[in-house]
Amino acid sequence: MTTAVQVPTPPARTVGPMRQDRRRGVGRFAALLLSPTVLVLALVIGYPIVSALRLSFQVTHRGINPTTGMVENTTHVGLANYAGIFSGDSASQFWNAFWNTTTFTVAGVAIETVIGVAMALIMHKAFRGRGIVRASVLVPWAIPTAISGLLWKWIFQSDGIANTVLHTHVLWTTEGFHAWGAVLIADVWKTAPFIGLLALAGLQVIPGEVYEAAKVDGSGPWRTFFRITLPLARPALVVAVLFRMLDALRMFDLPFVLIGAHKHSVETLSTFAWYEASNLRYGTAAAYSTVLFLYIAVVAFVFVKVLGADLIGRGVEGKKK
Amino acid sequence: MSAVAAAAPRKRARRAGTSPWAYAGITAIVLYCLAPFYWMVVSALRRPADQFSNKAFPWPISLTNFESAFKPANGFGRALLNSLVVAGLTTILTLVIGITAAYVLARLEFRFKNVILAAIIATSMFPGISLLVPLLKLFVSIHWINTFQAMILPSMSFALPLAVFNLTAFFKQMPFALEEAAQIDGASPMQAFRKVILPLAAPGVFTTAILTFIAAWNEFIIALSVTNKQEMRTAPVITSLFTGQYGYDQPFGTQMAAGVVVTIPLVILVLFFQRRIVEGLTSGSVK
């Protein structure tokens, strides 16, 4: 990289050793500057991951030690925590949380993408009022999720504004399908604008000539959208959807604040693992969070492989396309 | 987005003009985004007696809810200060560490570069809960529960990968001739970085700072779990844990007022720096 630029009238004798010297320095220099980041990440991510994995194989029993006659905690190492996923009384709770996590993610991201793309198309068309739109679109994104959970809880009160506007008497924030729906609505409200922004950025890199050519060819608006806009905006959209899916899979604040902890209809893998941990069942909590982590990793892998979400290439190589 | 690409659609839009449909669409977007937020502000401004009124305008306007949010018993003022300390320190530390890493990854050639960048980006995928369990155990054993470092360090684990990712994109945009010139003038790599590159990267650093601050300010699961004393809670956590007079009734008016206070710094940031924030959010997806 240092050779990319031609130096005008290089003094022939000094360039050779100087450049070599620089090369040798680069590796060490890079290692030196990278070490704080690597250290922090090793400490707050590397260590917990390894530790969680170890923890997830530990099962703690409280029982009476036959030799001493005292109540003691004994720790076994085994697959019991993972076996509990498939059998035992916690299996149904686990699969309920797994199912909720998946449905929140699939339904949420699908709706958000449709609304987000619609928003992006409108923002792209609009010439005036761009500043206002951009600022207002950022508001739901900027409100802390916990606060927006409270806000929606207020909106969904039994005698709240949602029921007044809709002329219904749904008890949104109690257990049941409507609670699931309430969390979904709150999540879509908060994150659809985010997808809209990323999709808009994708639309803006499409050159105008492409549309003019399509117009000359007599392409209608729908055809233009599905044949030109969507394929060309796809790279940006795929990244947006991937980011959102990874976020939705680990959803915690919203169901926790909006409906409550350990509620069957909105329990996600994150809230379930948190519940286990807060009841000091660290082993099962670690096992469930490990499963969640693997789930997220698989989704990310499939996305990168199948849909070609090019995250890393962009960071390293810069503009590829 | 590059200047050329941004100019193209703008020119097209001017030629077409903004149609009535586009105005309707804009109105719909603004309503969609702001209506719930408006409801929070309006509810915060009602008198407690009018709390369950569903009128669109609060009248008479009252600041009682704000007063009760700041009642000493709630510890809300202290919580705001805690949030400021946690989010502020997280942002500063993340930037100091992230800038150097991003610079190295964007500007230098060395082995395993892609592997390192991939690993850093991958760490942003970890669910907070899987980090939480071991960290909680660790923090309990080293007596870090109810400390700032117990909130700041894990918070950095979420902020740092994204900051590195964002800053790498910014550093990439600068011409490589800059370091060349500095080094020809006899500057060491460190001097070239500090005196030439860093000042020019200031806008990108600033954008990343805003994004990091917002992310850290919004953090919930860690701050909830590593604190159990009221005076160490952050603002979003304490707001969600406000209890009513009798434990059963949720003090929504107070919560909405507190929510408005927690949200206002972010809304101001968004209003002032919208262009930069959008640039920062989209730099990863289209570049």
Side-chain angles (χ1 to χ4, degrees):
Chain A
M1 218 157 260
T2 44
T3 54
V5 175
Q6 285 295 315
V7 183
T9 62
R13 270 171 300 151
T14 54
V15 159
M18 210 176 108
R19 208 163 262 175
Q20 247 197 352
D21 202 41
R22 222 183 291 153
R23 269 277 160 72
R24 206 181 309 141
V26 162
R28 219 175 302 151
F29 182 57
L32 184 78
L33 289 187
L34 275 176
S35 54
T37 300
V38 174
L39 196 72
V40 168
L41 292 180
L43 206 71
V44 290
I45 295 185
Y47 162 78
I49 291 296
V50 174
S51 173
L53 210 59
R54 207 173 55 94
L55 212 61
S56 70
F57 289 107
Q58 288 182 356
V59 188
T60 305
H61 288 293
R62 181 172 276 258
I64 295 168
N65 187 325
T67 47
T68 59
M70 305 278 275
V71 176
E72 274 179 11
N73 287 331
T74 48
T75 302
H76 300 288
V77 175
L79 287 167
N81 291 327
Y82 290 97
I85 289 168
F86 298 101
S87 63
D89 41 338
S90 63
S92 69
Q93 288 182 41
F94 173 84
W95 287 108
N96 171 56
F98 186 86
W99 175 246
N100 284 341
T101 305
T102 308
T103 51
F104 275 137
T105 304
V106 172
V109 175
I111 299 170
E112 285 154 33
T113 308
V114 172
I115 296 179
V117 169
M119 281 182 172
L121 289 172
I122 293 168
M123 290 190 273
H124 192 50
K125 275 268 158 50
F127 171 58
R128 266 188 254 169
R130 267 175 186 245
I132 299 166
V133 178
R134 194 164 39 195
S136 52
V137 153
L138 284 170
V139 166
W141 168 82
I143 295 179
T145 313
I147 301 294
S148 79
L150 287 173
L151 167 59
W152 283 97
K153 190 170 187 162
W154 172 233
I155 290 175
F156 284 133
Q157 276 299 292
S158 57
D159 46 2
I161 187 74
N163 278 339
T164 307
V165 170
L166 298 171
H167 298 292
T168 52
H169 300 283
V170 178
L171 297 172
W172 293 92
T173 50
T174 53
E175 278 276 22
F177 177 72
H178 39 264
W180 182 90
V183 171
L184 192 71
I185 290 170
D187 188 50
V188 166
W189 173 71
K190 187 172 165 55
T191 51
F194 175 76
I195 294 200
L197 275 179
L198 295 194
L200 177 65
L203 292 181
Q204 285 178 332
V205 295
I206 303 175
E209 292 81 46
V210 180
Y211 287 106
E212 263 149 44
K215 215 171 196 174
V216 170
D217 290 344
S219 169
W222 285 106
R223 206 182 141 82
T224 308
F225 174 71
F226 282 107
R227 290 290 172 83
I228 296 172
T229 309
L230 218 48
L232 285 175
R234 204 185 85 135
L237 212 55
V238 167
V239 172
V241 169
L242 173 62
F243 279 168
R244 274 303 307 143
M245 285 187 83
L246 299 185
D247 257 3
L249 284 170
R250 55 191 171 194
M251 173 150 46
F252 178 83
D253 323 19
L254 208 50
F256 185 86
V257 175
L258 181 52
I259 311 294
H262 206 46
K263 293 286 170 71
H264 188 264
S265 48
V266 296
E267 184 94 285
T268 65
L269 284 173
S270 273
T271 57
F272 188 38
W274 183 87
Y275 177 78
E276 292 291 302
S278 65
N279 282 290
L280 305 180
R281 290 189 286 276
Y282 288 129
T284 42
Y288 296 155
S289 62
T290 304
V291 172
L292 172 60
F293 164 60
L294 289 177
Y295 189 24
I296 290 177
V298 167
V299 169
F301 181 80
V302 167
F303 240 77
V304 172
K305 282 288 162 208
V306 177
L307 290 170
D310 186 12
L311 285 175
I312 294 148
R314 241 172 237 113
V316 179
E317 254 91 56
K319 276 187 187 166
K320 257 189 167 174
K321 284 153 196 171
Chain B
M1 70 201 93
S2 71
V4 186
R10 206 162 290 167
K11 217 183 287 164
R12 201 153 29 79
R14 194 172 304 154
R15 229 176 295 147
T18 305
S19 73
W21 284 111
Y23 277 121
I26 290 175
T27 313
I29 294 178
V30 173
L31 274 179
Y32 173 96
C33 294
L34 295 187
F37 178 64
Y38 173 79
W39 196 246
M40 176 155 77
V41 177
V42 162
S43 304
L45 289 171
R46 280 189 219 284
R47 291 182 307 180
D50 306 335
Q51 201 58 69
F52 292 95
S53 145
N54 282 330
K55 286 201 209 93
F57 301 100
W59 195 259
I61 287 178
S62 141
L63 292 176
T64 316
N65 284 325
F66 289 90
E67 279 163 25
S68 36
F70 280 101
K71 263 201 311 227
N74 281 333
F76 183 58
R78 171 72 203 240
L80 280 174
L81 197 68
N82 290 343
S83 271
L84 198 64
V85 170
V86 170
L89 283 177
T90 302
T91 306
I92 292 167
L93 289 171
T94 300
L95 283 182
V96 168
I97 295 174
I99 284 170
T100 53
Y103 173 75
V104 167
L105 290 168
R107 310 296 278 188
L108 301 179
E109 274 310 323
F110 55 93
R111 280 210 284 169
F112 307 124
K113 187 168 92 163
N114 287 9
V115 178
I116 292 172
L117 187 62
I120 291 177
I121 293 172
T123 52
S124 67
M125 289 182 349
F126 290 112
I129 186 68
S130 59
L131 306 180
L132 183 75
V133 178
L135 286 178
L136 201 56
K137 263 196 103 176
L138 175 73
F139 291 165
V140 168
S141 67
I142 59 174
H143 305 292
W144 271 22
I145 298 298
N146 293 318
T147 61
F148 283 127
Q149 62 267 34
M151 289 184 262
I152 292 168
L153 262 180
S155 201
M156 281 177 73
S157 77
F158 304 121
L160 193 54
L162 292 174
V164 170
F165 184 51
N166 250 320
L167 286 167
T168 305
F170 277 112
F171 281 130
K172 286 243 86 162
Q173 293 169 4
M174 298 195 297
F176 282 95
L178 290 172
E179 283 112 321
E180 278 291 319
Q183 293 191 355
I184 295 299
D185 287 345
S188 70
M190 188 58 109
Q191 284 171 322
F193 166 56
R194 218 179 52 222
K195 297 198 171 146
V196 181
I197 302 297
L198 206 49
L200 288 169
V205 172
F206 184 67
T207 302
T208 311
I210 298 174
L211 295 178
T212 309
F213 185 84
I214 291 180
W217 184 268
N218 294 357
E219 204 287 315
F220 185 76
I221 184 169
I222 300 282
L224 170 75
S225 309
V226 302
T227 55
N228 52 34
K229 274 198 202 139
Q230 196 193 36
E231 63 263 32
M232 286 309 290
R233 304 265 198 212
T234 58
V237 173
I238 209 151
T239 308
S240 74
L241 296 177
F242 276 174
T243 46
Q245 226 165 349
Y246 306 104
Y248 294 109
D249 56 333
Q250 211 165 1
F252 276 113
T254 320
Q255 283 187 323
M256 291 303 109
V260 169
V261 176
V262 173
T263 312
I264 275 176
L266 306 187
V267 171
I268 291 173
L269 278 180
V270 160
L271 286 178
F272 273 103
F273 303 114
Q274 40 162 311
R275 204 176 283 271
R276 291 200 168 286
I277 292 173
V278 171
E279 199 180 308
L281 286 176
T282 52
S283 67
S285 70
V286 283
K287 291 237 164 71

